[in-house]
Amino acid sequence: EVVECDKLRIRRVLEDMLDSKAQHLESTGNLASMRWLCCMRHYMMRGLPSPEEGQWPQYSLAPASLDGDQSRRVPSDALATFRQRLSWTAADESLVASTGRSLWLYAALANDADAMEGLLQGSSRAGLDSEILDVNVSFGELPLTPLMAAMAVAQFEVVESLLMAGAEPH
Protein backbone atom coordinates (compact mmCIF):
# COMPACT_ATOMS: atom_id res chain seq x y z
CA GLU A 1 0.00 0.00 0.00
CA VAL A 2 1.32 3.43 -0.97
CA VAL A 3 0.83 6.26 1.50
CA GLU A 4 0.40 9.69 -0.01
CA CYS A 5 2.94 12.30 1.07
CA ASP A 6 1.57 14.79 3.59
CA LYS A 7 3.91 17.62 2.61
CA LEU A 8 1.29 19.44 0.53
CA ARG A 9 -1.23 19.21 3.37
CA ILE A 10 1.38 20.42 5.83
CA ARG A 11 2.19 23.32 3.54
CA ARG A 12 -1.47 24.35 3.34
CA VAL A 13 -1.78 24.33 7.14
CA LEU A 14 1.45 26.28 7.55
CA GLU A 15 0.38 28.79 4.88
CA ASP A 16 -2.89 29.39 6.75
CA MET A 17 -1.05 29.79 10.04
CA LEU A 18 1.50 32.19 8.55
CA ASP A 19 -1.25 34.19 6.82
CA SER A 20 -3.13 34.53 10.09
CA LYS A 21 0.01 35.60 11.93
CA ALA A 22 0.94 38.15 9.24
CA GLN A 23 -2.59 39.55 9.22
CA HIS A 24 -2.54 39.85 13.02
CA LEU A 25 0.87 41.54 13.03
CA GLU A 26 -0.24 44.03 10.37
CA SER A 27 -3.56 44.78 12.11
CA THR A 28 -1.77 45.43 15.42
CA GLY A 29 0.76 47.76 13.78
CA ASN A 30 3.74 45.43 14.15
CA LEU A 31 4.86 45.99 10.58
CA ALA A 32 8.53 45.12 11.11
CA SER A 33 7.61 41.62 12.31
CA MET A 34 4.98 41.24 9.59
CA ARG A 35 7.54 42.16 6.96
CA TRP A 36 10.15 39.79 8.39
CA LEU A 37 7.62 36.95 8.44
CA CYS A 38 6.42 37.61 4.88
CA CYS A 39 9.94 37.88 3.50
CA MET A 40 11.24 34.79 5.28
CA ARG A 41 8.24 32.69 4.28
CA HIS A 42 10.05 31.15 1.30
CA TYR A 43 12.83 30.06 3.61
CA MET A 44 10.42 28.59 6.16
CA MET A 45 8.69 26.62 3.39
CA ARG A 46 11.81 25.23 1.75
CA GLY A 47 11.53 21.52 1.11
CA LEU A 48 7.75 21.63 0.85
CA PRO A 49 5.97 21.41 -2.52
CA SER A 50 4.98 24.71 -4.12
CA PRO A 51 1.33 25.70 -4.39
CA GLU A 52 -0.22 25.40 -7.79
CA GLU A 53 -0.11 28.53 -9.94
CA GLY A 54 -2.38 31.28 -8.64
CA GLN A 55 -2.64 29.69 -5.21
CA TRP A 56 -0.12 31.90 -3.35
CA PRO A 57 -1.48 33.07 -0.02
CA GLN A 58 -2.39 36.68 0.62
CA TYR A 59 0.79 37.52 2.55
CA SER A 60 3.19 35.57 0.37
CA LEU A 61 6.00 37.50 -1.29
CA ALA A 62 7.10 34.56 -3.42
CA PRO A 63 8.71 35.74 -6.63
CA ALA A 64 7.87 33.79 -9.75
CA SER A 65 11.44 32.53 -10.10
CA LEU A 66 11.24 30.52 -6.88
CA ASP A 67 8.87 27.96 -8.26
CA GLY A 68 10.13 27.12 -11.67
CA ASP A 69 8.46 29.99 -13.52
CA GLN A 70 11.48 31.59 -15.15
CA SER A 71 9.53 34.54 -16.56
CA ARG A 72 10.72 37.81 -15.13
CA ARG A 73 8.56 40.65 -13.95
CA VAL A 74 9.23 44.23 -15.04
CA PRO A 75 11.50 45.52 -12.23
CA SER A 76 9.58 48.75 -11.62
CA ASP A 77 6.30 46.82 -11.42
CA ALA A 78 7.91 44.19 -9.21
CA LEU A 79 9.19 46.87 -6.84
CA ALA A 80 5.80 48.58 -6.69
CA THR A 81 4.13 45.25 -5.91
CA PHE A 82 6.78 44.49 -3.31
CA ARG A 83 6.23 47.86 -1.59
CA GLN A 84 2.48 47.30 -1.59
CA ARG A 85 2.76 43.81 -0.13
CA LEU A 86 5.00 45.13 2.65
CA SER A 87 2.69 48.11 3.28
CA TRP A 88 5.83 50.22 2.73
CA THR A 89 5.35 54.00 2.82
CA ALA A 90 7.47 57.14 2.54
CA ALA A 91 7.45 57.26 6.34
CA ASP A 92 9.16 53.86 6.41
CA GLU A 93 11.82 55.21 4.06
CA SER A 94 12.57 58.00 6.53
CA LEU A 95 13.04 55.45 9.35
CA VAL A 96 15.70 53.38 7.57
CA ALA A 97 18.60 55.24 9.22
CA SER A 98 17.18 54.73 12.72
CA THR A 99 15.99 51.11 12.33
CA GLY A 100 18.28 49.60 9.70
CA ARG A 101 15.26 48.04 7.98
CA SER A 102 15.24 48.96 4.29
CA LEU A 103 13.66 47.72 1.09
CA TRP A 104 17.15 46.39 0.22
CA LEU A 105 16.99 44.21 3.35
CA TYR A 106 13.49 42.97 2.71
CA ALA A 107 14.11 42.23 -0.98
CA ALA A 108 17.20 40.23 0.06
CA LEU A 109 15.28 38.33 2.74
CA ALA A 110 12.47 37.61 0.26
CA ASN A 111 14.95 36.41 -2.37
CA ASP A 112 13.18 38.72 -4.82
CA ALA A 113 15.59 39.36 -7.71
CA ASP A 114 13.00 41.40 -9.62
CA ALA A 115 12.35 43.80 -6.72
CA MET A 116 16.12 44.02 -6.23
CA GLU A 117 16.51 44.95 -9.90
CA GLY A 118 13.88 47.65 -9.41
CA LEU A 119 15.89 49.03 -6.50
CA LEU A 120 19.05 48.95 -8.63
CA GLN A 121 17.33 51.00 -11.33
CA GLY A 122 16.57 53.71 -8.77
CA SER A 123 19.08 56.28 -7.64
CA SER A 124 18.71 55.83 -3.88
CA ARG A 125 21.12 53.57 -2.06
CA ALA A 126 19.69 54.46 1.37
CA GLY A 127 19.84 51.40 3.59
CA LEU A 128 22.11 49.42 1.29
CA ASP A 129 24.59 48.77 4.12
CA SER A 130 22.30 49.38 7.10
CA GLU A 131 22.25 46.76 9.82
CA ILE A 132 19.08 46.14 11.81
CA LEU A 133 19.54 48.18 14.98
CA ASP A 134 16.64 47.25 17.27
CA VAL A 135 16.70 43.50 16.70
CA ASN A 136 13.59 41.54 17.68
CA VAL A 137 15.39 38.34 18.65
CA SER A 138 12.25 36.75 20.04
CA PHE A 139 10.75 36.91 16.54
CA GLY A 140 13.84 35.49 14.88
CA GLU A 141 15.38 38.70 13.62
CA LEU A 142 19.14 38.98 13.46
CA PRO A 143 21.34 42.09 13.17
CA LEU A 144 21.86 41.66 9.42
CA THR A 145 22.76 43.93 6.55
CA PRO A 146 21.00 43.29 3.23
CA LEU A 147 24.12 41.55 1.88
CA MET A 148 24.38 39.29 4.94
CA ALA A 149 20.67 38.44 4.62
CA ALA A 150 21.03 37.63 0.92
CA MET A 151 24.03 35.42 1.56
CA ALA A 152 22.04 33.51 4.17
CA VAL A 153 18.70 32.96 2.42
CA ALA A 154 18.76 34.17 -1.20
CA GLN A 155 20.00 32.99 -4.56
CA PHE A 156 23.31 34.20 -5.96
CA GLU A 157 21.54 36.61 -8.33
CA VAL A 158 20.28 38.64 -5.35
CA VAL A 159 23.72 38.69 -3.73
CA GLU A 160 25.26 39.77 -7.02
CA SER A 161 22.72 42.60 -7.38
CA LEU A 162 23.65 43.94 -3.95
CA LEU A 163 27.35 43.84 -4.79
CA MET A 164 26.67 45.62 -8.09
CA ALA A 165 24.77 48.30 -6.16
CA GLY A 166 27.87 48.88 -4.04
CA ALA A 167 27.07 46.93 -0.88
CA GLU A 168 30.04 46.70 1.47
CA PRO A 169 31.18 43.07 1.67
CA HIS A 170 33.41 43.56 4.74
Side-chain angles (χ1 to χ4, degrees):
E1 181 177 328
V2 177
V3 177
E4 186 179 325
C5 180
D6 284 338
K7 285 185 175 183
L8 192 54
R9 287 188 189 115
I10 290 169
R11 182 175 187 114
R12 287 183 189 127
V13 170
L14 287 174
E15 293 284 6
D16 287 344
M17 290 171 62
L18 291 172
D19 269 350
S20 294
K21 182 67 173 180
Q23 186 176 25
H24 170 74
L25 290 168
E26 185 175 35
S27 70
T28 58
N30 193 344
L31 293 178
S33 293
M34 183 271 293
R35 291 170 178 153
W36 182 272
L37 179 70
C38 290
C39 290
M40 291 296 292
R41 184 184 208 123
H42 74 94
Y43 190 74
M44 293 178 218
M45 295 295 178
R46 69 191 183 281
L48 295 175
S50 299
E52 294 179 21
E53 189 174 326
Q55 298 297 313
W56 285 105
Q58 175 183 358
Y59 285 90
S60 174
L61 292 174
S65 60
L66 284 180
D67 293 294
D69 180 356
Q70 298 303 314
S71 62
R72 296 293 304 254
R73 300 172 291 168
V74 175
S76 59
D77 294 345
L79 183 56
T81 300
F82 191 70
R83 286 176 193 261
Q84 180 182 17
R85 286 229 161 122
L86 290 178
S87 300
W88 190 266
T89 65
D92 294 308
E93 207 61 51
S94 67
L95 294 174
V96 169
S98 63
T99 66
R101 292 178 184 89
S102 66
L103 282 173
W104 294 99
L105 173 73
Y106 290 123
L109 287 171
N111 190 28
D112 193 330
D114 294 332
M116 189 66 71
E117 185 65 29
L119 288 167
L120 275 170
Q121 289 179 1
S123 59
S124 175
R125 297 296 185 254
L128 181 62
D129 289 318
S130 296
E131 183 176 309
I132 298 176
L133 301 174
D134 55 340
V135 178
N136 184 353
V137 177
S138 65
F139 202 75
E141 262 189 347
L142 299 169
L144 300 172
T145 65
L147 183 59
M148 292 164 61
M151 291 175 69
V153 300
Q155 296 172 350
F156 178 74
E157 182 180 13
V158 173
V159 174
E160 185 177 45
S161 293
L162 286 164
L163 291 170
M164 287 175 29
E168 176 59 48
H170 302 288

